[in-house]
Amino acid sequence: MTPADQTPREDPSTITSQPRPATTGTRATSGRRSEAARLAVLNAADDLLVEHGFEALTIEGIAAAAGVAKQTIYRWWKSKVDILFDNLVLDAETALAWPEPADLRAYVHRYARFLAEQPAGQVLLALLGHAQLDRRTAELLHDGFLDGLRARDVTQVRELLGLDEEAAAVLLDALLAPLYHRVLVLRRPLDTDFVTAVLDTTLDQHLPR
Amino acid sequence: MTPADQTPREDPSTITSQPRPATTGTRATSGRRSEAARLAVLNAADDLLVEHGFEALTIEGIAAAAGVAKQTIYRWWKSKVDILFDNLVLDAETALAWPEPADLRAYVHRYARFLAEQPAGQVLLALLGHAQLDRRTAELLHDGFLDGLRARDVTQVRELLGLDEEAAAVLLDALLAPLYHRVLVLRRPLDTDFVTAVLDTTLDQHLPR
Amino acid sequence: MTPADQTPREDPSTITSQPRPATTGTRATSGRRSEAARLAVLNAADDLLVEHGFEALTIEGIAAAAGVAKQTIYRWWKSKVDILFDNLVLDAETALAWPEPADLRAYVHRYARFLAEQPAGQVLLALLGHAQLDRRTAELLHDGFLDGLRARDVTQVRELLGLDEEAAAVLLDALLAPLYHRVLVLRRPLDTDFVTAVLDTTLDQHLPR
Amino acid sequence: MTPADQTPREDPSTITSQPRPATTGTRATSGRRSEAARLAVLNAADDLLVEHGFEALTIEGIAAAAGVAKQTIYRWWKSKVDILFDNLVLDAETALAWPEPADLRAYVHRYARFLAEQPAGQVLLALLGHAQLDRRTAELLHDGFLDGLRARDVTQVRELLGLDEEAAAVLLDALLAPLYHRVLVLRRPLDTDFVTAVLDTTLDQHLPR
DNA sequence: CAATAACCGAGACGGTACGTCTTGTCTTGCG
DNA sequence: CGCAAGACAAGACGTACCGTCTCGGTTATTG
């Protein structure tokens, strides 16, 4: 196992992660990995992606912006995709958490806001785009994030509405497909009215009173 | 206007195109553009995309495979995206034609096959992916292809079902969103059963008997 | 034969070279090699070597100083050694020419001045040093320069003094060995008195009156 | 004074050295320097130099081959040159010792064998080569080895042949210059016949009976 | 007989330079 | 003039070592 594989990538069936060893606090410079460097890289990559886009994002640029040596990046990540992926997993954990108490309509609205407005949403869209162009990215994104996210959501919907797995998956897809379609294909804004309309139409149809 | 802009890019409101000047046949060696070189480039780009993917597609590789000088490509296209776009417009014209007589269910099935199986569908998915990463690609793809395609389809649906423009657009999106979602996000096969289920569910809902 | 081999490296038995195609004058940028770039690289390498030494001489530094892209250097030379070698061959042609009329004592004095004072002598000493560390450099330097130089000098000595080849070679080595020993090993100045003493001692011994 | 300066480097006027503190034997891991680590580094450097050459010799490679941490090397040596230098001083002490009873012809033959065949001779030639490229190496080699060696030999020749210092130095240089010239410049073998010829010619000339 | 001080291995860190690759521009010479 | 050919400046790629820096884990004297 090469060092680049040691980046903690948790169980794909969940998106909870990072039991980071609770470093002392600031500069954990030693024989072990520097938390400061890790965070600097993740943040620099995020900032540069939002500011200049995926194409203009380079390892050299990230290294320079993070004040880190290029080799420090290559030691822990294989590519800029891996860096963005780590960012995605990190941020999605909170940004895509289910509301308490569980509420499907609120969750879909939160999902829409995540896709349309939040930096981590930008990261997901960029990775989804790149996944169309690169098999490795597609596998990483699905095995490491999307599949686990969907499994979690299907379970939630099942418990919430008392559906079987098949029906819950169909309902979830029916709710999310218009969202993804609107941002990925139509490139139109995911305003609240649209999400509400999707919810009304779809829930009426799947959950007749 | 630079030479690269001279590539005939027809009215965005339609996807019909290429009244190519019916070149003599073989080697159009003269003061005017070589049809042989143009086709060699388009075909080489298509082949290389299907064979090695978008990332591995380079201008130099296309030039080499087409037996054409690099500058000949740069004279007529701005980027590999433009080459693929030309291919897309060329092929989609027939692959996404409405059946005669007009039939919505047949058209959606054809659309699904286009996305899932045909080379031009691969091109569209690659360009859609790249459009998430590059604003210029997004604009070209929408202004030059997707918007016109959608306008045409909305009109067809209106005429076919007697709906107003708003309703026709909503119906069209409801039919296509699951398709795009399934290939772009879920990466699952677009089998006939799935398309039929989408059609049944959606048409029931939107067109109550 | 790769481009890097095309650098004209003439017959090893002679050190005359460079029938450069007498370029038009200024910027010969075209499908053919740029004379301006070639000279800029050679001069930059020479300057940087004299100023900062062999160790500090880098391809990137030469490229920057010459205002040339790194790849332009790699296209025509394999390494900084090759660049210095070209410089050596170029300059030695005149700096180590035999005087007219041929005069052994004058030639040895000229040789000493070449080794001790001239930039091209610095280049030769650097390459001789590097040849101790790198087999490839050793072969290049001997096959491409030293062997030819020695063959030429042996012939001159034969014709001049009427010796057979063996005797001429022994005499030449006896004259040059103290020079090289003094600069390479003793690191002491090659002053005129020393060279004269070597000539007196050695010629007395080899050419008894 | 930094630790790196603590490497015992004896009086330059002599090449005798190493009153090493007679360590316990095997693993002297404690507050004081580990003799095992020191020897492992010296031997690894020697082996790697002979096997792969000076250029391919790296601190990291030596550390790995010696089973030693990089920092352990940097604690005691400044560079790979310093390591090789220590090896040279260590080995030359015996390899270049004067025969008993003192015999000039035998010593020159021994010198030739040292240069041509022995590992320590390889080290000297490599350092001599590097000294042409690096001022620091030149100073270390002369101040720490060559000058002391020459002083010792001049003294020996004086005592042996009853010459004054000037004449003894000239004779010594006359004997050694052809040897160094032959290996450094001509790259030809230092066979016994050649050395004998040098001795016959030079001694005849300098010591006429 | 603990405390302490220096060495040791391990290896992450910020860097420099490497040699390769592709981009997009340019110029020549042929047809 | 279009075109094949290919050199050019620019700059990102991923790799190899550099020299510096903690980190823990050993001894061996010291207090």
Side-chain angles (χ1 to χ4, degrees), chain C residues 130-132 142 185 187 201 205, chain D residues 55 131 142 185 187 201 205:
Chain C
H130 193 63
Q132 311 306 318
H142 283 80
V185 182
R187 297 221 137 210
T201 307
Q205 174 186 1
Chain D
E55 296 279 88
H142 283 80
V185 182
R187 296 220 138 212
T201 307
Q205 175 186 1

Side-chain angles (χ1 to χ4, degrees), chain D residues 47-176:
Chain D
D47 293 351
L48 291 175
L49 174 73
V50 170
E51 197 165 351
H52 299 111
F54 184 89
E55 296 279 88
L57 188 65
T58 67
I59 297 276
E60 301 214 323
I62 297 169
V68 141
K70 221 170 25 154
Q71 187 56 32
T72 297
I73 295 185
Y74 280 108
R75 209 184 333 267
W76 301 108
W77 294 276
K78 274 191 171 116
S79 64
K80 64 178 179 178
V81 166
D82 282 52
I83 302 172
L84 292 179
F85 179 83
D86 276 13
N87 258 319
L88 174 64
V89 170
L90 201 63
D91 295 351
E93 197 175 353
T94 63
L96 279 184
W98 273 77
E100 293 283 357
D103 175 343
L104 181 54
R105 298 186 71 104
Y107 177 66
V108 173
H109 275 288
R110 174 174 295 188
Y111 208 120
R113 254 176 285 119
F114 172 77
L115 285 182
E117 297 165 19
Q118 298 185 3
Q122 297 288 96
V123 173
L124 173 57
L125 294 179
L127 290 179
L128 263 176
H130 193 63
Q132 312 305 317
L133 313 175
D134 180 67
R135 174 175 304 278
R136 236 187 54 79
T137 300
E139 287 166 0
L140 174 60
L141 191 57
H142 283 80
D143 296 351
F145 182 75
L146 289 178
D147 289 353
L149 178 65
R150 191 169 123 110
R152 186 200 66 175
D153 289 347
V154 167
T155 300
Q156 273 284 6
V157 171
R158 284 182 66 181
E159 296 177 353
L160 204 56
L161 304 181
L163 302 174
D164 64 15
E165 175 152 349
E166 172 72 14
V170 168
L171 173 57
L172 189 68
D173 290 346
L175 289 169
L176 298 183

